[in-house]
Amino acid sequence: MKALSLPAQKRHEALVGYLFIAPYLVLFVAFVLVPVVWGYFISLHNWHVLGDQKPFVGFANYRALLRDDLFGIALLNTGYFALLTVIPGNVVSLLLALGLNARIRAENVYKAVFYLPVILSVAVVAIIWRWMYSTEFGLLNYYLKLLWQMFNLPGEFQPVPWLNSPQSAMPSLALMSIWWGAGGNMLIYLAGLRGIPEEYYEAARIDGASTWGRFWHITLPLLRPSLLFCLVMSLIGSSQVFGQSYILTGGGPHYSTLTVVLYMYQTGFSLYRMGYACAVAYVMFVIVLGFTLLQFRLLSARGEE
Amino acid sequence: MSRLCRLLGLMMVAGALLLAGCSPRSNLRSDPNAEIRFWNGFTGPDGATMEKIVKQFERETGIRVKMQIIPWGTYYDKLVLSLAYGDAPDVFICHANRIAEFARYGVFRPLDDLIAADRGFRVDDILPNIWQAGQYDGKQVGLPLDCHPQGLYYNLKLFREAGIVDAQGNPKPPETWDEFLETARKLTVDKDGDGRPDQWGFAFTWLRTNWITFISQHGGSILSEDLRRAALNQPPAVRATQQMCDIIFQHRVAPKPEGFDSWMGFRQGRVAMAIEGIYMLSSVEEQKGLEYAGAPVPSFGPKRAVWGGSHMLCMPKGISPQRAEQVWRFIRYLSDHSLDWAEGGQVPVRRSLLNEPRFRRMRVQHAFAKQLPYVVFEPASHKSTEIMPFYDAAIEAALLGIRTPQDALNEAARRIQQVLDRP
């Protein structure tokens, strides 16, 4: 009852403060906090949407997940997607930012062009790329065929089955995702680059450092905060990949693009097995939490230097 | 800290109440004058046909019907949520292959008493195999409005060009496996001599349903008869899958289903034959310059069988007695007028309608309807939807040559068995 013994003025201030945050807090609680806690509750039940009884099963859903090889496949696929997008995507973003940082003409035009895909929703991106990837009628295969003929390569050109073979489907999704997201990180890198004082480069030049040496010993170390931020955010983002495979491949061919979030969605919203879907969500939550803690550790390690 | 906890607790309660505001409440209005709410997913030309029949019903009976068309892609999400949490429609369409899945949770109002009370309604007029697809646990929970079997679509112009005609000079669709192979070979043409056919005799369109037709003709099935065991890796189904692979890899009369839009190929005259559902009729009708016809699916195996689906008319549990009677009148009316419905590319399931001259004039529907007595549906298990992705993946892997049919089907059978064994 300490709270009530505060002086009247303090109480008044606190009340005003709560009122100010109330609109957001109510929404946050109703649509984030309650579902998060409730989701955990559901994950402990055999919870079919239509079931009258939703029996408590303890950790049975989690135990079943351990034995579910499709979940294993989904985890591996998601890791594979992260591998294909995080490092290559950030290299692309960094290269774009380096190019833009060279004080070129019409810089803003390029910035806009590279950033444009980021403002598209995944559905729009996927539909555009579905046509580009079409084996029969796709733009990519059309250009590849032209190149093939231009250089008189031996044999008949075989169209690349971008989305239709288990080997190429995931790399195709990764390529599309890099195109889609590169502009966002590019801006962060550009801001980072602009924050590096010109004097350092000047000094390095006087000392005779090569372009590569300047990049390696000045740009990269000073860009570390941006790098860490972008890498970790990309890693978290790619671990939640869903729309790309949901729209383009439906998880196929032969489970090659089945990702964890897609599996969760299918379990929850095609099969209405909410308990199991929530268990998938919670395992994913723990994994992403792990990455986030890693992020904190890495970022604070920098602070101690 | 304790203050924060208390605050959070309060917020959670408030939030829970907010959410509870949108959950279970008794939804079905008992006002007999209220309109009948009818949900379906007929977004194509079939929607317009249905609209016409509904308007006619309103004029004749004075009962108002509010039809809501929801694209099939999201239809079941909406339906299931409405059945679980309230606001369910008074009558809705449910595909035959999902009856068991939903009926298991008792969401349907059985129709048996209404059927028994309606002396004018003759159950024996409806084809028995399709009538049974609307049953669960001995109760009739859905009344079949139609059936949509697969059939053979073939391109008349390409048949004539290849000289595949009967004595009168009419294009002749194949009826047996040998005829099918011979026809498909003649129709597979490599015009520019680059080693890759530019015109294919046949193409697999929807792999799942094509496969169900093949395995059923060989006497195979996805599940055992008691629906407890996976049967798709048994010899008949493996043989059938091998036959499908042979069409692609050995006889080379169909393309690998890899980035080849088979149905578009048929529409554009680059594929001479395809096995598709009657619901694709409107899609070939709108293709300018395409001369097509329909025929029963050839015999690929020793048994007669063809995949089909059916739109079942269903009522939700908890509907009031007066309302149920009104809705029954509506359902009955739709069934009586299923010949009008057939115009939109469907096949009626009432024997009396199948013999009408008007139905004979619907040439493709009439050709496909000959197969009704041996239509097969997906297994009537409540896990039917759940096991689907597994056999989908197996068929795809086999037909793309990623796995042998036996390996692919063994893997699918193992996964399906896991699903079946789960409570």
Side-chain angles (χ1 to χ4, degrees):
Chain A
M1 290 294 107
K2 235 178 174 178
L4 293 177
S5 60
L6 280 171
Q9 199 199 339
K10 268 268 163 78
R11 261 193 358 225
H12 180 75
E13 257 175 38
L15 187 70
V16 170
Y18 284 131
L19 278 176
F20 268 113
I21 59 168
Y24 176 75
L25 203 59
V26 167
L27 291 177
F28 174 79
V29 169
F31 293 105
V32 179
L33 197 60
V34 169
V36 164
V37 176
W38 200 7
Y40 180 66
F41 178 73
I42 289 176
S43 77
L44 303 176
H45 293 74
N46 185 359
W47 191 294
H48 190 284
V49 172
L50 289 174
D52 276 338
Q53 268 131 41
K54 298 175 164 88
F56 178 81
V57 293
F59 288 101
N61 284 326
Y62 293 92
R63 277 200 301 275
L65 259 183
L66 287 180
R67 279 179 282 113
D68 183 346
D69 62 339
L70 270 191
F71 179 66
I73 290 174
L75 269 179
L76 285 178
N77 284 340
T78 307
Y80 182 43
F81 179 82
L83 193 75
L84 288 172
T85 51
V86 175
I87 305 278
N90 278 283
V91 167
V92 170
S93 300
L94 186 55
L95 286 177
L96 289 176
L98 285 170
L100 285 174
N101 197 36
R103 313 269 170 203
I104 49 173
R105 269 206 292 175
E107 182 190 310
N108 283 331
V109 175
Y110 287 104
K111 261 193 226 164
V113 166
F114 292 129
Y115 192 73
L116 263 180
V118 178
I119 63 171
L120 299 177
S121 78
V122 65
V124 176
V125 172
I127 287 165
I128 296 171
W129 281 74
R130 172 150 62 201
W131 284 104
M132 309 235 304
Y133 277 145
S134 162
T135 312
E136 282 268 292
F137 313 106
L139 208 58
L140 286 178
N141 274 336
Y142 174 76
Y143 284 130
L144 282 179
K145 191 173 181 178
L146 282 187
L147 281 176
W148 193 277
Q149 286 160 351
M150 199 185 290
F151 294 105
N152 263 325
L153 292 174
E156 186 66 24
F157 172 71
Q158 292 291 328
V160 181
W162 296 102
L163 296 171
N164 296 293
S165 93
Q167 287 79 30
S168 61
M170 192 56 105
S172 300
L173 294 189
L175 181 65
M176 181 187 94
S177 307
I178 289 173
W179 174 83
W180 179 36
N185 285 344
M186 172 193 80
L187 286 191
I188 295 171
Y189 284 131
L190 190 58
L193 289 172
R194 293 274 151 92
I196 300 176
E198 192 55 35
E199 292 79 25
Y200 293 173
Y201 291 110
E202 240 180 83
R205 258 193 297 271
I206 291 165
D207 289 346
S210 65
T211 315
W212 176 248
R214 290 201 299 273
F215 175 74
W216 193 249
H217 295 292
I218 298 174
T219 312
L220 268 190
L222 289 173
L223 211 54
R224 189 170 155 184
S226 312
L227 270 170
L228 274 175
F229 176 77
C230 287
L231 283 173
V232 176
M233 290 314 279
S234 310
L235 193 62
I236 292 174
S238 62
S239 65
Q240 294 172 346
V241 55
F242 166 69
Q244 289 91 321
S245 50
Y246 174 66
I247 296 169
L248 282 177
T249 58
H254 205 255
Y255 311 117
S256 60
T257 55
L258 181 72
T259 64
V260 174
V261 181
L262 180 63
Y263 187 54
M264 176 179 83
Y265 173 82
Q266 286 174 346
T267 310
F269 291 95
S270 309
L271 308 176
Y272 311 112
R273 294 175 58 211
M274 291 298 170
Y276 200 65
C278 283
V280 175
Y282 258 86
V283 172
M284 202 57 211
F285 167 70
V286 169
I287 293 171
V288 174
L289 185 71
F291 283 128
T292 311
L293 291 179
L294 192 72
Q295 172 193 19
F296 281 140
R297 244 184 64 106
L298 288 170
L299 286 178
S300 61
R302 181 190 60 93
E304 285 157 18
E305 270 178 51
Chain B
M1 197 59 200
S2 79
R3 202 151 39 110
L4 185 71
C5 282
R6 213 147 15 111
L7 183 78
L8 281 179
L10 206 72
M11 287 294 187
M12 297 229 354
V13 171
L17 286 174
L18 203 77
L19 285 176
C22 5
S23 9
R25 71 193 134 98
S26 165
N27 50 85
L28 300 151
R29 293 149 307 166
S30 49
D31 176 9
N33 296 318
E35 56 205 2
I36 293 177
R37 291 165 68 236
F38 174 31
W39 285 7
N40 61 58
F42 303 132
T43 44
D46 48 359
T49 313
M50 183 51 82
E51 186 88 52
K52 251 192 281 179
I53 305 171
V54 167
K55 284 266 140 59
Q56 204 179 318
F57 171 78
E58 288 183 315
R59 271 201 307 278
E60 287 177 25
T61 61
I63 300 173
R64 284 178 305 128
V65 178
K66 191 174 169 217
M67 178 162 91
Q68 194 176 344
I69 299 176
I70 302 156
W72 290 124
T74 53
Y75 176 77
Y76 283 105
D77 294 347
K78 201 162 175 198
L79 180 66
V80 165
L81 289 178
S82 78
L83 290 169
Y85 297 112
D87 224 20
D90 303 309
V91 53
F92 54 90
I93 296 287
C94 179
H95 284 95
N97 61 356
R98 302 197 75 162
I99 288 278
E101 179 188 348
F102 299 143
R104 178 174 192 240
Y105 294 102
V107 300
F108 298 117
R109 182 209 188 279
L111 307 175
D112 302 272
D113 57 327
L114 297 162
I115 293 166
D118 187 345
R119 281 159 201 281
F121 184 77
R122 286 178 43 222
V123 171
D124 59 0
D125 191 31
I126 296 182
L127 284 140
N129 53 335
I130 298 158
W131 180 248
Q132 276 156 20
Q135 290 169 354
Y136 183 80
D137 212 7
K139 295 195 182 81
Q140 195 73 34
V141 293
L143 183 136
L145 169 65
D146 58 33
C147 180
H148 37 272
Q150 278 184 330
L152 183 77
Y153 287 95
Y154 60 105
N155 185 316
L156 295 172
K157 190 163 145 267
L158 300 181
F159 267 62
R160 275 196 296 267
E161 278 172 11
I164 306 161
V165 289
D166 61 12
Q168 284 84 46
N170 294 320
K172 188 178 169 302
E175 285 171 22
T176 64
W177 167 237
D178 292 333
E179 281 177 24
F180 171 81
L181 261 190
E182 196 194 323
T183 308
R185 277 207 192 95
K186 283 185 189 160
L187 288 163
T188 303
V189 190
D190 178 9
K191 285 175 187 154
D192 55 12
D194 65 354
R196 288 199 313 149
D198 313 288
Q199 178 190 309
W200 293 96
F202 180 72
F204 291 107
T205 46
W206 192 5
L207 301 186
R208 179 198 301 161
T209 56
N210 274 236
W211 177 76
I212 291 175
T213 295
F214 272 77
I215 64 164
S216 307
Q217 289 202 3
H218 283 270
S221 60
I222 297 167
L223 300 184
S224 61
E225 213 158 313
D226 63 2
L227 306 175
R228 285 163 191 275
R229 309 225 37 100
L232 74 171
N233 59 341
Q234 300 298 308
V238 176
R239 248 195 329 270
T241 313
Q242 186 60 54
Q243 188 183 34
M244 290 173 79
C245 292
D246 289 347
I247 290 174
I248 296 172
F249 298 109
Q250 189 192 331
H251 308 296
R252 296 169 185 276
V253 292
K256 258 203 289 193
E258 177 179 76
F260 186 89
D261 190 339
S262 315
W263 184 249
M264 195 45 91
F266 177 77
R267 283 179 54 162
Q268 294 173 345
R270 291 181 297 125
V271 170
M273 296 183 281
I275 296 175
E276 253 307 341
I278 187 66
Y279 44 79
M280 292 308 253
L281 184 58
S282 61
S283 145
V284 282
E285 274 170 350
E286 70 186 21
Q287 183 75 31
K288 285 204 181 73
L290 175 67
E291 284 183 72
Y292 62 90
V297 169
S299 293
F300 298 108
K303 285 178 109 177
R304 305 238 67 179
V306 62
W307 173 86
S310 169
H311 295 121
M312 297 281 171
L313 291 158
C314 305
M315 285 188 217
K317 77 166 177 215
I319 190 168
S320 76
Q322 304 104 299
R323 183 108 279 223
E325 269 168 43
Q326 269 188 346
V327 173
W328 171 255
R329 271 181 79 184
F330 178 62
I331 290 179
R332 169 78 201 278
Y333 188 91
L334 291 181
S335 176
D336 289 348
H337 291 76
S338 52
L339 209 48
D340 296 331
W341 175 234
E343 298 270 11
Q346 294 288 344
V347 174
V349 291
R350 293 174 65 157
R351 289 193 252 240
S352 53
L353 299 176
L354 291 170
N355 290 319
E356 293 231 352
R358 188 176 151 211
F359 184 62
R360 286 170 186 280
R361 282 195 295 275
M362 303 178 198
R363 304 236 327 268
V364 179
Q365 285 95 322
H366 187 251
F368 282 24
K370 290 176 190 155
Q371 315 170 105
L372 285 188
Y374 49 83
V375 158
V376 287
F377 300 93
E378 280 98 343
S381 155
H382 63 268
K383 302 227 165 133
S384 210
T385 310
E386 209 165 326
I387 62 175
M388 223 170 240
F390 301 118
Y391 57 86
D392 273 351
I395 305 159
E396 192 179 37
L399 294 193
L400 288 176
I402 300 169
R403 300 277 168 93
T404 66
Q406 185 73 62
D407 284 352
L409 293 171
N410 280 346
E411 188 188 339
R414 180 175 60 79
R415 294 216 163 96
I416 288 172
Q417 196 57 50
Q418 279 174 1
V419 172
L420 295 175
D421 291 342
R422 199 167 53 211

